[in-house]
Amino acid sequence: MNEIRIPKGKFQRTVITAKTAGKVSGQVLTYLVKKPFLSKDNNIAAKKDLSEKNAETIFKSLTFLKGTALKIAQFLSMELEILPEALRKELEKSYNRVPPLNRAIVRKILKDVYEDNPESVFKCFEAKAFAAASLGQVHRAKTKEGHKIALKIQYPGIKNTIESDLKIVRTVVKPLPDYAFILPGLDEVEEKLMEETDYINEGKNLLFFKHHLKLKLIKVPALYEKYSSDVVIAMEYIKGLPLNEWIKTNPSIEEKNKIAESLFEIFIRSLYELKCIHADPNPGNFIITPDLKVGLIDFGCIKQFDPTFVDNYQKLNRTILRDKSEYFSLHNELNLFINDISEEVKNNIMHIMHKISIWYGRFYKKEWFDFKKNKDIFTEPQNLFKELSKYKKYFNSQPDFIYLDRTRYGLYRIFEKMEVKIKIRNTYEWDE
């Protein structure tokens, strides 16, 4: 895999963006010119070809820019219902397969942190990265005490690129038909991205989960603070495969069900017991070990909740199939709507939300939910959410809901891909 340097200058990054957006627009225009003259079958083929070309163009641009642009690529890849299939598949590559940094840059970063060469600091250090992190890359190393560690090194100058990269990504995806639907999601990521550039804070997050998330089938790595800084974080190396790579090894349905159950237990126990969740359900953040444990890595994006919010969210789930009036009154307690809203608009919103609640309740109707037999479940709400988005000006900003729902939804989409059958009903949200 070829090494690359990150284009850091604003002008350089803007030129790359303009070229990408222009290429995508040109491809769309070429298709539109030909469309009136195509038969139905040829039009379907041409549209598919357009999606694939746009997907490749956008992915190459985002991965070349790296940094924040790559993190947003990962975010977009989880939004499966709003992106063309071809683009989603290209963006999935951003989980852990992108060109590494130039080795000279890596050595300089480490020398600045340790005031010595990595070969002198560690018993052994692999100059070639073995995995990509969204805001950095990961190298294997062994401490002089003999501990195998994963050393995550942050891309240089990443904090300075966040604001400009958000503008870049908006430009790159603007020619897409669903741009208006993608845009609100992009508006929400800046705060969390800034948090993710702080590796000292990520180390604290790791220690929190290490000390509090006590589950037999979960492995949270140890933190090596001696080798960590604000731009480098050293944690225990967990042997295994990232979830998306593990799925490709064709594990048995029993093994997949077991892993899915562990992932869901991580989410549920973290939410209701710790009031804090790992809020980045990127398959590359879950390492499946040879003994079928889930290694939880990358603690840059976590979300803490107020206990009152968690209590109301719990009540919301408990009433979803049982008491319509209480279900809607809870939305008021959660301060969902602005004060200045007419009854007509509120009723329209509630009508849409009632349909969404009926859809959401399907996960709880039976003791076990079979994702393989319910492949259509995520096609149904797409139009409902688009319809609801028309009323977004009447909603108060709800970052708690945004990260909670996105995490849960992201896990469900992973379960769909795995075609598992697991128990979504749980003791926190369901009275047996």
Side-chain angles (χ1 to χ4, degrees):
M1 195 178 286
N2 295 327
E3 294 179 338
I4 67 168
R5 294 178 180 270
I6 299 176
K8 290 192 291 184
K10 185 176 180 181
F11 176 77
Q12 190 179 2
R13 296 173 77 83
T14 302
V15 168
I16 294 168
T17 305
K19 286 182 178 179
T20 302
K23 189 172 182 180
V24 171
S25 297
Q27 288 165 176
V28 172
L29 182 61
T30 300
Y31 162 74
L32 292 175
V33 169
K34 294 191 299 182
K35 184 179 177 181
F37 308 101
L38 297 174
S39 66
K40 183 177 179 180
D41 289 343
N42 287 340
N43 182 50
I44 292 172
K47 198 171 183 179
K48 182 174 182 292
D49 182 60
L50 173 67
S51 289
E52 290 173 352
K53 284 180 179 178
N54 284 345
E56 185 178 1
T57 300
I58 291 172
F59 175 70
K60 283 182 178 178
S61 175
L62 294 181
T63 53
F64 184 69
L65 290 169
K66 277 186 167 281
T68 312
L70 181 54
K71 183 65 184 179
I72 297 171
Q74 294 180 353
F75 159 73
L76 288 174
S77 74
M78 295 303 297
E79 302 295 317
L80 305 184
E81 84 287 0
I82 64 174
L83 293 179
E85 179 74 6
L87 178 54
R88 180 185 63 77
K89 286 185 176 180
E90 283 294 321
L91 292 178
E92 279 186 351
K93 296 177 184 177
S94 66
Y95 294 149
N96 54 20
R97 292 188 297 167
V98 292
L101 276 173
N102 181 283
R103 296 188 186 193
I105 296 176
V106 172
R107 289 181 61 81
K108 184 179 185 307
I109 294 170
L110 294 180
K111 192 168 184 178
D112 287 345
V113 170
Y114 301 131
E115 299 181 344
D116 205 344
N117 293 319
E119 293 82 6
S120 301
V121 175
F122 300 104
K123 188 174 183 179
C124 80
F125 169 77
E126 294 184 9
K128 182 180 179 181
F130 77 93
S134 49
L135 303 182
Q137 63 187 40
V138 192
H139 295 251
R140 291 188 186 92
K142 183 182 284 188
T143 69
K144 291 184 176 179
E145 296 79 19
H147 300 296
K148 293 181 179 179
I149 64 173
L151 203 65
K152 185 165 72 169
I153 301 170
Q154 187 176 121
Y155 296 140
I158 194 71
K159 291 182 181 179
N160 298 327
T161 70
I162 288 178
E163 184 179 352
S164 62
D165 276 7
L166 284 168
K167 293 179 182 177
I168 283 171
V169 175
R170 290 187 185 98
T171 302
V172 168
V173 301
K174 193 171 184 177
L176 295 176
D178 290 308
Y179 171 72
F181 197 53
I182 297 171
L183 185 60
L186 297 179
D187 292 340
E188 298 154 8
V189 301
E190 187 169 359
E191 181 182 349
K192 279 297 175 185
L193 284 172
M194 286 303 295
E195 285 183 21
E196 289 192 58
T197 64
D198 185 352
Y199 281 5
I200 292 176
N201 185 62
E202 181 174 348
K204 293 177 182 177
N205 295 340
L206 187 157
L207 291 174
F208 175 83
F209 281 92
K210 180 75 173 174
H211 294 153
H212 296 95
L213 190 63
K214 302 295 185 181
L215 300 173
K216 288 183 179 180
L217 294 176
I218 309 303
K219 185 169 181 59
V220 178
L223 175 69
Y224 292 87
E225 296 183 69
K226 176 182 177 181
Y227 302 103
S228 299
S229 73
D230 59 335
V231 294
V232 175
I233 185 167
M235 62 184 75
E236 177 186 359
Y237 171 71
I238 297 178
K239 184 179 180 180
L241 291 173
L243 177 61
N244 50 314
E245 296 295 329
W246 178 79
I247 292 172
K248 294 176 184 177
T249 66
N250 296 317
S252 68
I253 187 60
E254 290 78 16
E255 290 174 325
K256 289 192 291 185
N257 287 346
K258 183 177 181 179
I259 294 300
E261 287 168 3
S262 296
L263 291 172
F264 193 60
E265 188 173 13
I266 291 172
F267 170 74
I268 289 295
R269 292 278 290 273
S270 297
L271 173 61
Y272 290 111
E273 293 183 12
L274 308 185
K275 311 296 188 291
C276 180
I277 62 171
H278 184 288
D280 188 2
N282 171 348
N285 290 338
F286 306 119
I287 304 299
I288 311 305
T289 68
D291 58 350
L292 294 183
K293 289 185 178 180
V294 175
L296 193 60
I297 62 172
D298 199 333
F299 295 85
C301 183
I302 71 162
K303 178 63 183 174
Q304 294 180 317
F305 300 101
D306 182 272
T308 302
F309 171 83
V310 175
D311 288 343
N312 284 329
Y313 179 80
Q314 183 178 34
K315 292 173 185 175
L316 202 64
N317 281 280
R318 284 181 178 273
T319 60
I320 200 164
L321 289 178
R322 302 178 187 188
D323 191 329
K324 181 180 174 181
S325 60
E326 185 180 355
Y327 177 74
F328 290 132
S329 68
L330 280 167
H331 283 89
N332 290 324
E333 289 185 37
L334 287 162
N335 193 32
L336 195 64
F337 307 113
I338 63 172
N339 292 327
D340 187 20
I341 180 173
S342 69
E343 282 302 312
E344 181 182 0
V345 170
K346 192 171 184 179
N347 287 335
N348 289 341
I349 294 173
M350 284 300 188
H351 179 68
I352 299 169
M353 292 184 68
H354 178 55
K355 290 182 178 180
I356 293 173
S357 72
I358 292 173
W359 165 78
Y360 185 70
R362 286 176 59 186
F363 291 101
Y364 293 88
K365 278 191 173 180
K366 294 182 180 179
E367 185 177 6
W368 296 85
F369 187 84
D370 192 328
F371 283 86
K372 185 176 183 179
K373 290 183 178 179
N374 289 274
K375 287 187 175 181
D376 67 326
I377 193 163
F378 293 109
T379 60
E380 183 181 339
Q382 182 177 0
N383 290 331
L384 290 174
F385 284 116
K386 283 187 177 181
E387 191 177 347
L388 191 64
S389 69
K390 296 175 184 176
Y391 295 93
K392 63 182 180 181
K393 68 179 180 181
Y394 297 106
F395 287 83
N396 286 316
S397 176
Q398 291 284 355
D400 286 346
F401 264 123
I402 289 168
Y403 283 97
L404 179 53
D405 289 345
R406 181 173 294 151
T407 302
R408 187 166 203 152
Y409 178 72
L411 287 174
Y412 285 179
R413 296 312 300 255
I414 289 173
F415 300 157
E416 177 195 36
K417 186 173 183 178
M418 295 171 71
E419 297 185 335
V420 295
K421 182 179 180 180
I422 65 170
K423 214 176 184 181
I424 298 297
R425 287 186 188 177
N426 59 85
T427 55
Y428 301 95
E429 299 175 340
W430 189 266
D431 293 322
E432 298 292 348

